[in-house]
Amino acid sequence: MPGLMGGDSEDGRPVSPEEFACALAALGGFEPAPAPAVAVGVSGGGDSVALVLLLRHWVAERGGSLLALTVDHGLRPESAGEAAAVGQAMARLGVPHRILRWDGAKPSAGVQAAARTARHRLLGAACAEAGILHLALAHHRDDQAETVLLRLARGSGIDGLAGMAPVRADGAVRVIRPLLRFSHDRLLATCRAGGVDWIEDPSNSNPRFARARLRAARESLGGEGLDASRLGEVARRAGRARAALEQATAALLAEAATVHPEGWITLAPAPLRAAPLEIALRALGAALAAVGGPAHPVRDEALERLLDGLAEGQGGTLGGCVVRMRRGAVMVAREPVAVTERPTVAPGEAIRWDGRFDLRVSSSHRRPVTVAALGAGGWREWAGRQAPEGVPDLPVPVRETLPSLWTGADLLGVPMIGMCYGFGADGQHPVDRARFCPLSSLGRPAFTVVSDRDGII
C-alpha cells in the first residue's frame, strides 16, 4: 500500500543523470561561464549522499565545482564522529568537504526548529565565504508530503500548503531543492547503484518529533489516499497559486514601497487601499519582514488588525517594527526597544548587525569598537556635531536604531548610508561603512539570477 515514504511503481529505480539534469534545468539560473559552483548540504543520510552523487556527475559534465558541507549540531555525543565519517566518505568520492559546528548552548525546547535555523545560518555563511551562489538541499518528495500534512494540521493557508519551494532566497544564497520530484526509496536506490553507504539519523524515528510520528502513520494515511504523490500535487497546485500571489504582491510593492537607506520603508497608502485585501496584507507583511527581520514572524490576524488600524489613522508595533502614518505615508521602522545587539568588532572586521545592516569597521581604528543602536542621546550628540544642513530629517524610531560605533561611553561615529564610502584623510584606510541589506527582500527574486543566454541579470 503506498504511503508517505513511497508510492509509485518506479520507487526501486535509481535516479538517472538525465532525470536529475532535467530537474535542475527546471530550476534554471546556473552560470554558463564560468562553470557553475554549487554547495550541497550533506548529513550523511541516504538522501543527501544521493544528491552528492548526482551533483558530482552534473558539475563534472559542465566543468563546474562542488563543495559538500556538513553541520555538526552537537546534539548527540556521536555527532562529531559522524560528521568526520561523512568527510571521509566525501574524500573517497573526490568531493571537497567542510564541517560546520553549531557551538554554544542548545535550547531545551524546540530543538529541531533551533537546529534547522542554525543549520541554514551556517550553510549560508559557508557559501558566502566560498563565493558560491547555489546551495542544494536534499529534501525530496516524501519530505514535501510530510510538510504539507504538518501545515494542514496547523491550519495553514496557500503558502503553507505549497510546502517547500524548489528555489528560494536565503540572504545572498540561492537555495535549491532539485529532488522534490523523487521519492526517498529512489534516492536510496541511487546510493546502492553508486556503491556508497549512508548513515541513518536516529531522530528520524524518534516519536518526540512530529515528522517521525507522521512516518509511523504512513500506511493508514496512504490507505486514505494521502500518499506522497497526492500530497505532492497539493503542494504543486498551492505553489502555483502562491507564485501568482507573490507576483501580484511584488507589483504592488514596486508601486507603493520606498526603501530608505537608513533601514526603513514607507508605503504609499492609495495603492494599498486599492489592492485586494490579500495582496495588501502580503505587501505590509513583506515590509515588516524586511525591516524587522525573519526572526519576528507575524500572524495573519495581527497583520489584519494592523492594516485595519492604519485605514483609521492608527498605528502600532508588530514584528519588531513601529508602523504608523507619517506625512501621508505608512512608515515601517525598526522598533527601538527591539534592537539589543552590542557586538564588539575588531578594526577591519565586517559583520551583519541587527539582521538589517552589512557593516564594516574601518581598519584605521586602533582598538575594537562596540556597535549599538544610536539611541536618543546618541542622536542628540551626533546631530550637535553636524552643520544644520547636514542633519537628515529622519523619524525618531529610525534615528534611534541607526548603527553607531562606540568606545565605552564615547560615540565614535554613525556610519550612515550615503555618507560612508571612500577613504579617510590618509587615503589608505576605508572609512566605517554600513549598508541596509535586509535578509527578507521586498521583491522576487531576492538573489542574483543567472541566465544561460544573457549572463548575469
Side-chain angles (χ1 to χ4, degrees), residues 156-236:
S156 295
I158 288 293
D159 285 3
L161 295 182
M164 294 176 284
V167 182
R168 70 171 178 84
D170 189 358
V173 178
R174 179 176 180 260
V175 177
I176 59 173
R177 295 183 173 94
L179 300 181
L180 289 179
R181 66 174 66 176
F182 305 113
S183 71
H184 175 67
D185 287 345
R186 292 199 65 189
L187 297 177
L188 295 188
T190 304
C191 292
R192 295 187 190 99
V196 296
D197 296 324
W198 61 89
I199 301 169
E200 292 292 348
D201 186 344
S203 68
N204 287 337
S205 57
N206 189 332
R208 287 177 54 204
F209 304 123
R211 284 187 181 272
R213 294 195 296 272
L214 282 177
R215 293 184 186 116
R218 64 183 183 268
E219 292 298 333
S220 58
L221 290 170
E224 298 299 325
L226 289 176
D227 61 18
S229 296
R230 182 69 56 83
L231 289 165
E233 283 299 296
V234 171
R236 183 183 65 81

Side-chain angles (χ1 to χ4, degrees), residues 62-225:
R62 290 156 181 80
S65 62
L66 181 62
L67 172 64
L69 301 171
T70 298
V71 176
D72 175 10
H73 295 95
L75 295 174
R76 294 179 291 109
E78 59 271 25
S79 66
E82 291 171 353
V86 174
Q88 293 167 3
M90 294 300 103
R92 290 192 291 272
L93 293 174
V95 176
H97 178 259
R98 282 187 59 194
I99 296 175
L100 313 173
R101 291 182 173 83
W102 181 24
D103 296 321
K106 308 300 189 294
S108 57
V111 174
Q112 284 203 324
R116 183 168 55 250
T117 299
R119 180 165 62 250
H120 289 178
R121 173 178 55 81
L122 291 167
L123 290 171
C127 289
E129 181 182 338
I132 295 174
L133 173 62
H134 316 285
L135 170 63
L137 301 181
H139 298 108
H140 48 77
R141 188 191 70 182
D142 306 314
D143 292 328
Q144 184 75 298
E146 292 168 4
T147 298
V148 172
L149 276 177
L150 283 169
R151 293 178 179 177
L152 182 64
R154 295 168 183 165
S156 295
I158 288 293
D159 285 3
L161 295 182
M164 294 176 284
V167 182
R168 70 171 178 84
D170 189 358
V173 178
R174 179 176 180 260
V175 177
I176 59 173
R177 295 183 173 94
L179 300 181
L180 289 179
R181 66 174 66 176
F182 305 113
S183 71
H184 175 67
D185 287 345
R186 292 199 65 189
L187 297 177
L188 295 188
T190 304
C191 292
R192 295 187 190 99
V196 296
D197 296 324
W198 61 89
I199 301 169
E200 292 292 348
D201 186 344
S203 68
N204 287 337
S205 57
N206 189 332
R208 287 177 54 204
F209 304 123
R211 284 187 181 272
R213 294 195 296 272
L214 282 177
R215 293 184 186 116
R218 64 183 183 268
E219 292 298 333
S220 58
L221 290 170
E224 298 299 325

Side-chain angles (χ1 to χ4, degrees), residues 287-359:
L288 289 170
V291 175
H296 302 83
V298 175
R299 293 185 176 274
D300 290 345
E301 55 267 27
L303 197 59
E304 291 167 1
R305 287 195 298 269
L306 178 60
L307 188 61
D308 289 343
L310 289 170
E312 299 173 1
Q314 301 171 358
T317 58
L318 185 63
C321 298
V322 177
V323 184
R324 64 170 182 253
M325 299 302 298
R326 179 181 187 265
R327 298 178 183 176
V330 178
M331 176 197 76
V332 181
R334 193 75 165 96
E335 185 180 6
V337 297
V339 184
T340 58
E341 288 186 27
R342 295 182 60 88
T344 299
V345 184
E349 184 180 355
I351 65 166
R352 170 169 283 274
W353 183 79
D354 192 41
R356 297 180 295 149
F357 288 94
D358 286 340
L359 186 146

